[in-house]
Amino acid sequence: MTSQQKKALKAAKQLERQGKRAEAAQLYQRILTTYPKNAEARRALQKLQNANADPAAKLRALYQQGQFKLLVKTAEAFLPQVRNTPGVNALLGAAHMQLNAPGAAETAFRQVVMAAPDKPAGHNNLGLALRAQGRHADAEKAFKAALGLNPAYAEAWNSLGTLRQETGDATGALEAFEKAANLRDDSPDVWTNLGNMHQQMGDLDAAVEAYRKALQIAPHFAGAHFNLGLAMKAVGQLDTAASHYEKAIAANPNFTGAYTNLGNVLQSLGQLPQAETALRKAVKLSPKDANAQNSLGTVLQKIGRMDEAVAAYDAALNSNPDHAMAAAQRLHQMAHMCDFRAYEDFAKITENLGIKGDEIPPLTLLAMEDSAARQCARARRYAEATFPKSAPAPTPPKDTKRREKLRIGYFSADYRNHPVARLIAGTLAAHDRSRFALYAYSFGPNTEDELRGELSGQFTQFRDIRAMSDAQAADLIAKDKLDIAVDLTSYTQHSRTGLFAKRLAPVQMNYLGYPGTSGAEFMDYIVVDPTLVPPDHRAHVAEALLTLPHCYQPNDNRRDVPKDTKTRTDHGLPEDALVLCCFNSSYKITPREFAIWMRVMAKIDTSVLWLLESNDWARDNLRAQAQKAGIAQDRLIFAPRASNADHLARHQHADIFIDTFAYNAHTTGSDALWMGLPIVTLAGEQFAARVCASLLTAVNLPELITESEAAYEALILALARDPARRTALRQHLETKRNSAPLFDTEGYTRDLEAGFDAAHARWRDGRPPADILIKARS
């Protein structure tokens, strides 16, 4: 053997060791061309050819083992004549798809189509690679080419259905999936896809049937269990939904989405520790899954670990900076903690958050800014995204005569010891039973307290629909034949506003619970008053206005005026101090008003600030902010939570109630005025920022309403320095308690009933909802 042969053999073996088998084979072939009797080169070449004898089988084994990178490397080492066969390219393309390399997959699948143009599978796989690149038109051509070769090729119908679903062609997608299911009724994937399409189109019964067929074929199919869980959640069967998520996890222990959805359902069931466990597993499996991190934040927030909740929202935003829900919830929790850095962060995204991109629950940002236009835009965006389909109002009857008793349905999560229930209790009792029949629909916690018992006795029917799905509840409600449906909860906790999208009554109203527009086209009216929505803000309310003459807010004049037997000292207050009081929730306190409060306290040495106790973070942060402003921390005093009677009684120890700006005192404002405590407010722009001005107008104290921050600060200082004026204001409130419009429960109820009558009369007459003004009774 010559030195040249030895050198060439050495180079070929080196190529083999590097995995470059095709190049090695070519070099062995050249050696044999020049030296045909070189036995060593012949044996080496034969060995390489034997290794490539059944290449597809070897690649198939690697694919089944999930070794996709090794599969690609192995295929690339094959001899060209072996590598370019349809079987090898098909497996190579499939491996590239698993490696999220659709461009490389396209190249491989095009080789398959060129080599076997009459095989529909190649066209279908090419379409999948094109679809993964977002080339929808090209993908559709490929799928249709497959179907042109074989119209009964179920896989191509399934692929075409998925493509149409992605491109928004719901009807076309459903048609394609149905054809696939008819052709391959033994495919759990096809039945699951058909179920997903039915669910997307709102046909949950058909979706459930499809998922159950998938599970009959493959009882441990994780995807079908997962999607059946989604359907069960949508119809309100949360326990069943949790069971299917658990089965999905048993079938696929690394199914992040199943853990996330299980955590969300357990949260809804009130099983917060179990929800946290499931969501932490989801986060462990997929640390960059923003939805899992966001859900974990929500659970931690409900448990009361607010700092951990904010950290979870931060993690969600690190994974997806555009995650609107995480951004909004993070800001909302920071506001609850009185972490004023939230407002600096919010200023960077104010124009877009909840307005462009994904929707957010409108309540989350209501206290963070005073903008009627942006709050309305957020509400509209939320309603459009959350309730995409709504039923129209029914056709009016031919007989336009009013029935003897209009049936009013009051829908609430708060039939219990809750501010909304305390406000409306008197009005419910005062309704004219000869002209109105009242129906209650409760979907919040049943605390079995005294107030719930009292309220339930005010209705012709009191129905607890908490455990019902929206569809089940709507069927029940339809049998009650309501004339007017009133949403007392709207976008607050335990919201069921989706029920109203099903059209529960000819006339539907947004009232009391949420201080702002619903933004929903299916909500006909919102109850307001002349102060809440001035003419230049009318465009920022989606509903027609039902304007009551005095104040939109009901009050119960049957309640007591309790006296506090405790001293200021008992409440931790200095006996001789000027007590500035704000019993609003902590998340309503923003840097704007807090800075003014600190300046006032700096000028009034004897003043203290009496706030409602919320959480440790809020207390510590507010005291730290006070210290920065030069105010001793012990001048901020926090009142613990108390029964409603004890809370009302302690108002006698305060001198001035100082209001928050973007989200005023609402129930807390009525409480203060009922107890004779004057309030200084700043009339803002949005509904929530004008409620206290409405309350003060309805007790004939417009002089306590200011129009600028400077005027607000000046009025607080003036009252702080004028004890006689404060005494006169208290006397005015105590004298007018039984005559002021704010506390005229019977008169208020007659006005509300007049509004109900007028709104329903418009519908009976065939006229659309329009602004209604109820004039003051003489």
Side-chain angles (χ1 to χ4, degrees):
M1 184 183 299
T2 67
S3 60
Q4 285 185 327
Q5 291 183 60
K6 291 179 180 178
K7 186 176 180 180
L9 281 170
K10 183 177 180 181
K13 290 177 181 178
Q14 179 67 24
L15 289 170
E16 276 195 77
R17 285 193 293 271
Q18 293 173 356
K20 298 177 181 180
R21 297 178 183 178
E23 291 90 335
Q26 290 173 350
L27 184 53
Y28 286 132
Q29 190 67 56
R30 286 199 298 271
I31 294 170
L32 289 170
T33 301
T34 307
Y35 307 103
K37 296 183 180 180
N38 191 312
E40 188 173 353
R42 188 172 300 283
R43 285 194 301 271
L45 179 60
Q46 187 65 49
K47 183 178 178 182
L48 282 175
Q49 289 174 338
N50 290 340
N52 285 281
D54 188 10
K58 184 173 184 179
L59 296 184
R60 197 174 297 111
L62 291 173
Y63 190 89
Q64 291 169 350
Q65 296 165 18
Q67 299 188 52
F68 305 119
K69 289 183 179 179
L70 181 57
L71 186 156
V72 171
K73 184 177 181 180
T74 301
E76 289 175 346
F78 286 158
L79 299 176
Q81 61 267 35
V82 175
R83 185 172 67 240
N84 290 328
T85 59
V88 170
N89 271 315
L91 287 162
L92 183 59
H96 280 307
M97 289 293 287
Q98 292 289 342
L99 294 169
N100 196 28
E106 178 192 350
T107 300
F109 289 140
R110 285 197 184 279
Q111 292 292 326
V112 174
V113 170
M114 289 175 62
D118 59 336
K119 302 295 184 182
H123 293 278
N124 183 65
N125 288 333
L126 176 59
L128 294 175
L130 293 167
R131 194 196 91 205
Q133 297 174 71
R135 293 160 59 187
H136 295 137
D138 291 339
E140 185 168 2
K141 288 178 183 177
F143 296 141
K144 288 183 175 179
L147 292 168
L149 291 168
N150 181 4
Y153 188 46
E155 284 78 1
W157 282 114
N158 189 49
S159 299
L160 184 60
T162 304
L163 176 69
R164 288 174 173 174
Q165 185 177 12
E166 286 180 357
T167 55
D169 180 7
T171 302
L174 184 63
E175 178 187 1
F177 287 136
E178 285 176 339
K179 287 185 178 180
N182 289 332
L183 292 165
R184 280 286 308 273
D185 62 359
D186 62 342
S187 169
D189 286 303
V190 169
W191 283 112
T192 300
N193 286 340
L194 179 59
N196 293 345
M197 201 62 237
H198 278 306
Q199 186 165 187
Q200 181 179 322
M201 297 179 74
D203 190 347
L204 292 175
D205 290 337
V208 169
E209 182 181 356
Y211 296 140
R212 293 201 188 284
K213 285 184 178 179
L215 290 170
Q216 286 173 4
I217 300 163
H220 302 295
F221 184 33
H225 277 299
F226 175 78
N227 287 292
L228 183 53
L230 294 178
M232 292 293 100
K233 181 184 178 185
V235 298
Q237 297 184 30
L238 300 185
D239 287 313
T240 304
S243 173
H244 282 289
Y245 292 140
E246 288 167 347
K247 289 175 181 177
I249 290 166
N252 179 3
N254 295 322
F255 197 159
T256 302
Y259 279 108
T260 301
N261 280 276
L262 175 61
N264 291 339
V265 166
L266 292 172
Q267 176 191 162
S268 298
L269 289 167
Q271 300 175 30
L272 298 182
Q274 297 90 330
E276 181 186 356
T277 298
L279 289 165
R280 288 204 180 278
K281 179 65 175 179
V283 167
K284 183 177 180 180
L285 286 169
S286 300
K288 293 189 179 299
D289 187 321
N291 289 329
Q293 292 281 11
N294 179 68
S295 293
L296 177 59
T298 303
V299 168
L300 292 168
Q301 159 193 328
K302 290 185 175 181
I303 292 173
R305 286 148 55 192
M306 294 183 180
D307 53 342
E308 293 181 50
V310 170
Y313 295 134
D314 279 333
L317 291 167
N318 285 336
S319 298
N320 178 7
D322 296 324
H323 199 294
M325 185 69 78
Q329 292 288 10
R330 173 182 176 273
L331 293 170
H332 190 52
Q333 286 315 295
M334 291 176 74
H336 272 284
M337 299 164 71
C338 294
D339 183 344
F340 288 167
R341 292 174 297 179
Y343 296 89
E344 299 171 10
D345 295 344
F346 181 48
K348 302 171 187 175
I349 53 177
T350 301
E351 298 290 336
N352 295 328
L353 185 57
I355 299 171
K356 299 176 182 178
D358 291 339
E359 75 282 359
I360 61 169
L363 181 63
T364 53
L365 300 182
L366 198 59
M368 295 204 70
E369 73 161 337
D370 179 14
S371 170
R374 283 194 288 271
Q375 301 293 10
C376 180
R378 292 186 184 105
R380 287 184 186 274
R381 179 77 189 90
Y382 181 79
E384 289 167 359
T386 310
F387 318 113
K389 295 181 181 179
S390 59
T395 302
K398 293 181 180 179
D399 182 1
T400 61
K401 183 180 178 182
R402 182 193 193 275
R403 71 158 117 185
E404 181 181 358
K405 294 183 180 182
L406 286 186
R407 297 187 175 191
I408 312 298
Y410 282 107
F411 293 75
S412 181
D414 303 319
Y415 287 121
R416 53 198 165 98
N417 185 15
H418 183 277
V420 168
R422 292 195 296 271
L423 287 174
I424 203 169
T427 291
L428 295 176
H431 264 306
D432 184 347
R433 296 315 196 270
S434 70
R435 303 184 66 248
F436 297 90
L438 307 186
Y439 291 73
Y441 303 91
S442 174
F443 43 83
N446 179 5
T447 55
E448 299 183 351
D449 56 45
E450 183 179 350
L451 186 53
R452 184 180 178 91
E454 176 193 332
L455 293 173
S456 62
Q458 301 290 353
F459 295 94
T460 301
Q461 291 285 347
F462 187 95
R463 304 192 187 282
D464 191 331
I465 61 171
R466 179 179 31 161
M468 296 182 187
S469 69
D470 282 0
Q472 292 168 331
D475 287 343
L476 174 66
I477 294 159
K479 296 174 184 176
D480 289 335
K481 300 184 183 305
L482 297 178
D483 296 299
I484 299 176
V486 181
D487 190 354
L488 291 172
T489 301
S490 190
Y491 297 146
T492 60
Q493 192 176 24
H494 307 299
S495 172
R496 292 287 293 271
T497 298
L499 279 169
F500 287 78
K502 297 181 177 295
R503 184 53 70 168
L504 305 176
V507 178
Q508 302 192 144
M509 293 188 181
N510 173 16
Y511 173 44
L512 189 60
Y514 176 73
T517 180
S518 68
E521 62 178 19
F522 52 79
M523 201 61 74
D524 303 313
Y525 292 91
I526 182 172
V527 179
V528 298
D529 60 54
T531 303
L532 286 181
V533 186
D536 57 337
H537 294 167
R538 175 64 188 88
H540 306 315
V541 179
E543 303 90 338
L545 305 181
L546 173 50
T547 304
L548 302 185
H550 302 293
C551 182
Y552 88 107
Q553 188 190 86
N555 268 279
D556 187 355
N557 61 10
R558 303 171 303 165
R559 59 177 169 168
D560 293 332
V561 183
K563 299 298 181 182
D564 194 359
T565 58
K566 295 180 180 178
T567 65
R568 277 188 166 187
T569 302
D570 293 331
H571 289 282
L573 300 167
E575 290 292 340
D576 58 350
L578 174 82
V579 179
L580 302 172
C581 162
C582 182
F583 286 150
N584 293 350
S585 295
S586 62
Y587 71 91
K588 297 183 181 183
I589 301 172
T590 76
R592 290 172 60 206
E593 58 264 36
F594 193 77
I596 293 173
W597 298 349
M598 295 302 99
R599 290 199 297 270
V600 169
M601 293 180 72
K603 293 174 183 176
I604 308 295
D605 293 339
T606 60
S607 63
V608 295
L609 179 59
W610 198 17
L611 302 171
L612 192 63
E613 186 176 78
S614 177
N615 57 75
D616 291 346
W617 296 279
R619 180 198 61 216
D620 294 345
N621 283 329
L622 289 175
R623 284 181 169 165
Q625 289 293 333
Q627 190 168 29
K628 283 183 183 179
I631 302 300
Q633 293 190 11
D634 60 4
R635 291 176 66 187
L636 271 62
I637 299 162
F638 292 84
R641 298 285 173 175
S643 69
N644 187 244
D646 288 344
H647 173 64
L648 289 175
R650 64 188 173 190
H651 281 78
Q652 73 188 49
H653 300 296
D655 293 300
I656 310 168
F657 190 114
I658 48 179
D659 197 15
T660 47
F661 292 165
Y663 198 150
N664 291 167
H666 293 188
T667 305
T668 49
S670 287
D671 287 346
L673 295 172
W674 178 254
M675 295 306 298
L677 179 61
I679 306 174
V680 177
T681 193
L682 169 62
E685 181 180 316
Q686 64 195 26
F687 185 129
R690 299 181 67 83
V691 168
C692 201
S694 171
L695 301 178
L696 288 166
T697 301
V699 292
N700 301 312
L701 285 177
E703 63 266 32
L704 297 183
I705 304 168
T706 63
E707 300 293 338
S708 69
E709 292 184 17
Y712 171 85
E713 182 173 351
L715 181 55
I716 296 172
L717 280 169
L719 290 174
R721 292 163 174 161
D722 193 342
R725 188 177 175 190
R726 297 200 304 271
T727 299
L729 289 169
R730 275 193 178 276
Q731 290 173 346
H732 170 90
L733 288 169
E734 290 167 359
T735 302
K736 300 293 184 181
R737 186 182 289 127
N738 295 320
S739 61
L742 182 62
F743 300 122
D744 179 6
T745 304
E746 292 72 20
Y748 174 92
T749 307
R750 299 292 84 78
D751 292 336
L752 183 65
E753 290 173 344
F756 287 168
D757 268 330
H760 196 262
R762 286 192 64 87
W763 172 76
R764 294 197 309 273
D765 292 341
R767 294 179 292 165
D771 291 355
I772 295 170
L773 175 64
I774 304 301
K775 295 182 179 179
R777 290 166 289 107
S778 56

